[in-house]
């Protein structure tokens, strides 16, 4: 089955030339939390959803509800939001990939990306902090990867921002240090998505953070500010070095991120 984009309205939706920002289901769901903040802060309207047999079905209320009226709108496992003014499309994925269908889902995603001719793609991901090698233990937990096709577009932008590229690690540690590879444990399809994008000439950037499972809200803000340094989704106040948490809009659905609280009847 191919990935099918279903528009929200009756007409067709053209995303040609847009920048696509999307999460990869990975450690702590950091990419998905970051995308939640982007959609909520920029008040992006939903333009459609992705129909795929590779994602577990999910249905729920509007996670970005602002009024009682729009709280009853339905959300599903994979939806697309967009802003024509910013030429920005955001894909949100709310459920894990069905076991054994990771390769199919990756191929469906790449096919949809090429079909829409996005100007560039940004995949937001995460990796297990406890798998870091020695040189990754000091300094920022944020890293990036860029395909050759993206490097020709951005030039030395990442070097100007003083970003750290994800280090290659020994493919066979303790046996041979000669052969090195990219390793993103806990990163889901991040590594294979990056490799496929390199081969197929897709301008893709991977932005990731080293973290552990738990309360990953601070990691989401950290990754979002990292993305904002490059894409400037929200302008930084001139008197501040960065954007504070209060300047990003937390979606209403986060109120129940850790459940609905302790029932008073217990006491």
């Amino acid at each position: 089955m191919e990935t099918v984009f279903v528009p929200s309205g009756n007409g067709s939706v053209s995303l040609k030339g847009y920048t696509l920002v999307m999460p990869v289901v990975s450690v702590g769901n950091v990419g998905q939390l970051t995308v939640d903040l982007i959609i909520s802060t920029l008040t992006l309207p939903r333009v459609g959803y992705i129909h795929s047999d590779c994602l577990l079905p999910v249905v729920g209320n509007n996670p970005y509800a602002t009024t009682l009226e729009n709280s009853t709108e339905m959300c599903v496992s994979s939806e697309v939001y967009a802003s024509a003014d910013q030429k920005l499309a955001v894909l949100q994925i709310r459920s894990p990939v069905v076991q054994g269908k990771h390769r199919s889902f990756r191929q469906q995603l790449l096919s949809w990306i090429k079909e829409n001719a996005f100007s560039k793609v940004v995949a937001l991901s995460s990796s297990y902090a406890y798998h870091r090698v020695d040189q990754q233990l000091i300094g920022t937990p944020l890293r990036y990867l860029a395909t050759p096709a993206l490097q020709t577009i951005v030039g030395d932008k990442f070097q100007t921002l003083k970003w750290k590229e994800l280090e290659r690690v020994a493919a066979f540690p303790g046996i041979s240090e000669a052969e090195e590879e990219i390793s993103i444990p806990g990163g889901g399809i991040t590594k294979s998505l990056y490799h496929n994008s390199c081969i197929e000439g897709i301008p893709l950037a991977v932005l990731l953070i080293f973290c552990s499972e738990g309360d990953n809200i601070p990691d989401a803000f950290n990754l979002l500010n990292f993305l904002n340094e490059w894409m400037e989704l929200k302008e930084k106040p001139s008197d501040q070095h960065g954007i504070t948490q209060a300047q990003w809009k937390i979606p209403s659905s986060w109120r129940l991120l850790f459940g609905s609280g302790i029932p008073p009847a217990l006491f």
Side-chain angles (χ1 to χ4, degrees), residues 19-20 113-114 117-123 146-154 197-198 200-206 230:
T19 294
L20 174 67
I113 287 167
K114 287 191 287 187
F118 291 109
S119 61
K120 58 183 176 291
V121 181
V122 184
T147 63
L150 182 76
Q151 287 170 357
T152 59
I153 296 171
V154 299
S197 296
C198 286
E200 299 188 35
I202 293 171
L204 171 96
V206 172
W230 170 32

Side-chain angles (χ1 to χ4, degrees), residues 15-76:
L15 301 173
K16 186 175 182 180
Y18 281 46
T19 294
L20 174 67
V21 177
M22 57 166 283
V24 176
V25 181
S26 51
V27 186
N29 305 105
V30 179
Q32 293 151 293
L33 292 171
T34 305
V35 165
D36 261 356
L37 288 167
I38 295 170
I39 295 166
S40 182
T41 302
L42 302 181
T43 324
L44 297 178
R46 183 176 58 190
V47 296
Y49 65 92
I50 299 284
H51 178 58
S52 171
D53 62 346
C54 297
L55 291 172
L56 289 172
V58 165
V59 66
N61 284 8
N62 180 6
Y64 313 113
T66 52
T67 64
L68 195 60
E69 287 73 27
N70 68 15
S71 66
T72 56
E73 292 174 9
M74 190 182 292
C75 80
V76 291

Side-chain angles (χ1 to χ4, degrees), residues 9-234:
N10 295 324
S12 61
V13 176
S14 174
L15 301 173
K16 186 175 182 180
Y18 281 46
T19 294
L20 174 67
V21 177
M22 57 166 283
V24 176
V25 181
S26 51
V27 186
N29 305 105
V30 179
Q32 293 151 293
L33 292 171
T34 305
V35 165
D36 261 356
L37 288 167
I38 295 170
I39 295 166
S40 182
T41 302
L42 302 181
T43 324
L44 297 178
R46 183 176 58 190
V47 296
Y49 65 92
I50 299 284
H51 178 58
S52 171
D53 62 346
C54 297
L55 291 172
L56 289 172
V58 165
V59 66
N61 284 8
N62 180 6
Y64 313 113
T66 52
T67 64
L68 195 60
E69 287 73 27
N70 68 15
S71 66
T72 56
E73 292 174 9
M74 190 182 292
C75 80
V76 291
S77 57
S78 184
E79 296 182 315
V80 181
Y81 300 77
S83 164
D85 293 338
Q86 293 178 280
K87 297 284 273 184
L88 174 70
V90 178
L91 168 65
Q92 177 61 298
I93 299 170
R94 297 194 177 91
S95 67
V97 180
V98 174
Q99 191 170 358
K101 293 208 169 186
H102 288 80
R103 183 178 178 184
S104 297
F105 182 61
R106 189 175 71 246
Q107 290 170 340
Q108 289 175 7
L109 259 183
L110 290 168
S111 174
W112 180 69
I113 287 167
K114 287 191 287 187
E115 185 184 308
N116 280 277
F118 291 109
S119 61
K120 58 183 176 291
V121 181
V122 184
L124 303 173
S125 185
S126 49
S127 183
Y128 284 122
Y130 64 80
H131 269 282
R132 286 175 293 175
V133 294
D134 289 352
Q135 67 263 40
Q136 295 170 336
L137 294 172
I138 300 170
T140 177
L142 297 154
R143 295 292 187 276
Y144 82 91
L145 284 170
T147 63
L150 182 76
Q151 287 170 357
T152 59
I153 296 171
V154 299
D156 62 353
K157 178 69 175 177
F158 298 149
Q159 287 75 27
T160 305
L161 291 170
K162 297 189 164 103
W163 281 11
K164 292 186 79 169
E165 187 175 10
L166 183 66
E167 299 86 350
R168 270 63 174 171
V169 299
F172 307 103
I175 300 172
S176 170
E177 303 296 318
E179 191 177 335
E180 292 186 324
E181 65 174 7
I182 290 169
S183 177
I184 310 176
I189 64 169
T190 307
K191 179 179 171 180
S192 51
L193 185 68
Y194 170 74
H195 281 314
N196 284 147
S197 296
C198 286
I199 294 165
E200 299 188 35
I202 293 171
L204 171 96
V206 172
L207 272 54
L208 65 84
I209 185 168
F210 295 118
C211 65
S212 301
E213 295 279 2
D215 180 359
N216 297 101
I217 291 174
D219 298 313
F221 280 110
N222 206 351
L223 189 59
L224 180 53
N225 283 320
F226 188 50
L227 171 69
N228 198 61
E229 284 179 27
W230 170 32
M231 291 189 57
E232 298 180 357
L233 300 171
K234 191 172 170 67

